[in-house]
Amino acid sequence: MPIKARRQARRRTGTDKAPKSPYEAQQVRRIQVRKASNAVHIKTSTKLGTLNVNGLTKNKCVVILEAFSRNGLDVLSLVDTRHSEATASFWRRTLTEPLGPATRVISNPASYTSEAMGKRELVGGTIIIVGKRWSGNIQDIWKDPSGCGVVTSATLIGPTRSLSIIATYWPSKPSITTQNG
C-alpha cells in the first residue's frame, strides 16, 4: 500500500494498521460512528430528579445526598422542605459540603404557617440542587414573589439549548378532623 494511502487510513481508523479489505474499512467506520454517537449522547444527557420531602430533616438529607450521588443526578428539586429563612444557610451548607464546592443549592424558604389541629407548622419551601456539571451554567433564578416558597425556577444554559427547572409545591387546605371522624 502506498505511503499516502496508509497515512489516510491511519487518520480514519486511529490505528497504525491500514484496513486490509473494503469490508474491514467499513467495519472500522461503523465502530467509529458508534463511538462518536455514544460520546455525543453522554455529553448531552442530563439527569433530573424531584422529591417531595414532607419536611427536610438531617436523616432525610443523608438519603437525599446518597440518591443524588448514586443516581448520578445533575439536578434535584426538593419540594415541601418546610425550611425557614433562619435555617436556609444551614441547609445550603449541609447539602453543598458532601457534593463539593462547585455544587449550587438554590433555596426558597417557606414563610407560610398552617395552624391545623392546633399545631403551627411551616408549609412549602423549595430547594434546587444543581450538580457541579451544570452549576456554572445557571443563567437565571426566580423565586415566587408570595414569599411562601411554593415556586422556584432555575434556567440552565447548554451549548445549543436552555433548560428551565421549575420546582413547585401547592399545598391543599388542611382538612380538619373531629373526634367523631
Side-chain angles (χ1 to χ4, degrees), residues 47-69:
K47 285 190 172 185
L48 309 171
T50 183
L51 287 171
N52 181 334
V53 295
N54 194 21
L56 193 57
T57 64
K58 288 181 183 179
N59 291 337
K60 288 179 184 178
C61 191
V62 171
V63 175
I64 289 164
L65 292 167
E66 177 70 22
F68 190 89
S69 298

Side-chain angles (χ1 to χ4, degrees), residues 76-146:
L76 178 62
S77 64
L78 307 175
V79 298
D80 194 20
T81 57
R82 300 181 190 175
H83 73 289
S84 65
E85 189 68 51
T87 62
S89 61
F90 167 78
W91 289 117
R92 273 195 296 274
R93 268 193 326 274
T94 303
L95 292 166
T96 303
E97 284 175 3
L99 298 173
T103 303
R104 182 93 184 267
V105 176
I106 302 160
S107 169
N108 191 1
S111 63
Y112 172 75
T113 55
S114 168
E115 294 184 20
M117 301 191 328
K119 289 173 69 179
R120 251 183 99 125
E121 284 188 337
L122 283 170
V123 177
T126 53
I127 290 176
I128 299 176
I129 303 169
V130 182
K132 61 185 174 190
R133 196 169 79 140
W134 282 97
S135 63
N137 296 10
I138 299 172
Q139 180 189 32
D140 189 32
I141 296 171
W142 182 83
K143 299 175 184 182
D144 66 287
S146 72

Side-chain angles (χ1 to χ4, degrees), residues 160-177:
T160 58
R161 294 192 172 115
S162 64
L163 175 66
S164 291
I165 309 295
I166 302 169
T168 181
Y169 176 74
W170 296 95
S172 58
K173 186 176 180 180
S175 60
I176 299 174
T177 57

